[in-house]
Amino acid sequence: MTEENQTLPEFLLLGFSDLQALQGPLFWVVLLVYLVTLLGNSVIILLTQASPALHSPMYFFLRHLSVVEVLYTTDIVPRTLTDLASPHPRAISFQSCATQMYVFIVLGITECCLLTAMAYDRYTAICQPLHYSTLMSSQACTAMVGVSWLMGIITATTHSSLIFTLPFPSHLIIPHFLCDILPVLRLASAGKHRSEISVVTATVVFIMVPFSLIVVSYARILGAILAMASTQSRRKVFSTCSSHLLVVFLFFGTASITYIRPQAGSSVTMNRILSLFYTVITPMLNPIIYTLRNKEVAGAL
């Protein structure tokens, strides 16, 4: 950390303080969503652990995905609720901002990788059923989860090291409710180029590449479904994939809009709304989708 950064121990998170009329209602909405998120994902974790019917690779990945969602929202929402309860922007220390961003990146990248592993599981089960037990053994599944976490840690360490060693000016107002990559990076007074390259590279690698692999997997699955003679078989196979596919589009869709769309002329308010959706709303929807649209989970529940 540079000497200049050592004299700048705090950022000022704008949050939603410029929309004070909405802060009260938004506080209760975010609190309710957070509680539902904790409850829903905790139920998924317990069900996939306790129910023998859910001791399969797909639900092994789902359990880890729910763990990520709980940690992901807990990294952001308690701080956001505290800020919403205050009429004025509140400061966050340099170290706390760096920690929040680090955890945020670790969990976001891990979720990308887990969703890709879940798509591979569905592809293997439907397109290569004779080799499923070998390709998706417990050792292979554990290795996939481990690699997912490792990729998150490597990416977060690289990003955090590049961003938080940059020199920052004296006024550090972040027009956001969390220490996200792009808003913090824009505050740096010099040396942003290498960090921007890193952000773009990570965006391509960990958003577009996993999403492309998922699309390829489901294209193969669709081909296998269309080749089935029985309408009932098609419906059964599609029902096992629909929940995961919906979660994929929710997560990757909002993340792509946030990080890949052109930033020039983008609205600060729109950026915050999009971030609120994929950091708060989507983690709540995931367990609901898997519970309502999956007969095995509903049966175990």
Side-chain angles (χ1 to χ4, degrees):
M1 189 176 297
T2 66
E3 182 178 352
E4 186 178 359
N5 281 341
Q6 291 176 351
T7 64
L8 298 170
E10 292 184 335
F11 291 95
L12 194 64
L13 281 174
L14 181 62
F16 294 91
S17 59
D18 57 331
L19 304 171
Q20 291 195 11
L22 295 178
Q23 281 195 221
L26 196 57
F27 172 87
W28 293 108
V29 170
V30 172
L31 176 61
L32 177 61
V33 170
Y34 180 53
L35 294 176
V36 173
T37 300
L38 293 181
L39 176 62
N41 283 287
S42 297
V43 168
I44 293 292
I45 293 169
L46 292 174
L47 280 179
T48 55
Q49 183 67 43
S51 175
L54 303 182
H55 287 177
S56 65
M58 184 65 177
Y59 298 110
F60 175 76
F61 292 130
L62 178 58
R63 180 163 66 250
H64 283 274
L65 181 65
S66 291
V67 171
V68 168
E69 298 286 33
V70 169
L71 297 175
Y72 188 70
T73 53
T74 301
D75 178 50
I76 297 165
V77 174
R79 167 77 201 197
T80 301
L81 290 173
T82 304
D83 291 344
L84 286 172
S86 172
H88 306 292
R90 298 179 69 252
I92 181 172
S93 70
F94 196 88
Q95 293 80 6
S96 296
C97 186
T99 300
Q100 186 185 62
M101 183 188 293
Y102 182 86
V103 174
F104 176 73
I105 297 172
V106 168
L107 297 172
I109 298 301
T110 301
E111 182 163 352
C112 287
C113 296
L114 285 175
L115 289 173
T116 306
M118 293 170 78
Y120 176 71
D121 171 77
R122 291 298 84 203
Y123 161 76
T124 306
I126 295 169
C127 299
Q128 300 187 39
L130 297 179
H131 303 286
Y132 182 76
S133 60
T134 301
L135 294 174
M136 301 303 298
S137 64
S138 59
Q139 294 85 354
C141 293
T142 302
M144 290 181 193
V145 171
V147 169
S148 298
W149 281 99
L150 181 61
M151 297 307 294
I153 292 170
I154 291 173
T155 306
T157 302
T158 303
H159 274 47
S160 299
S161 299
L162 289 172
I163 293 173
F164 287 97
T165 53
L166 294 172
F168 287 90
S170 56
H171 300 290
L172 296 173
I173 300 176
I174 303 176
H176 214 301
F177 62 89
L178 76 151
C179 290
D180 203 354
I181 298 170
L182 296 178
V184 174
L185 184 57
R186 293 191 191 105
L187 295 176
S189 57
K192 292 189 290 185
H193 183 64
R194 60 174 181 167
S195 295
E196 288 173 347
I197 292 175
S198 173
V199 170
V200 171
T201 302
T203 298
V204 172
V205 172
F206 292 109
I207 293 182
M208 297 308 298
V209 171
F211 184 71
S212 299
L213 291 174
I214 292 171
V215 170
V216 170
S217 296
Y218 275 102
R220 298 290 299 273
I221 290 171
L222 180 61
I225 292 175
L226 294 177
M228 294 178 180
S230 170
T231 303
Q232 184 177 359
S233 298
R234 293 180 184 178
R235 188 179 297 111
K236 182 179 179 180
V237 171
F238 180 77
S239 68
T240 64
C241 300
S242 59
S243 299
H244 177 250
L245 200 55
L246 183 54
V247 169
V248 165
F249 279 109
L250 280 173
F251 180 82
F252 283 98
T254 51
S256 299
I257 292 172
T258 302
Y259 293 103
I260 297 179
R261 69 192 175 97
Q263 295 298 316
S266 60
S267 166
V268 171
T269 301
M270 181 57 66
N271 289 340
R272 285 178 290 178
I273 292 174
L274 286 171
S275 297
L276 195 66
F277 188 87
Y278 75 80
T279 59
V280 179
I281 304 298
T282 301
M284 177 196 69
L285 294 176
N286 290 353
I288 294 175
I289 291 170
Y290 275 107
T291 301
L292 296 180
R293 298 182 60 85
N294 190 300
K295 292 182 180 180
E296 290 180 330
V297 175
L301 182 61

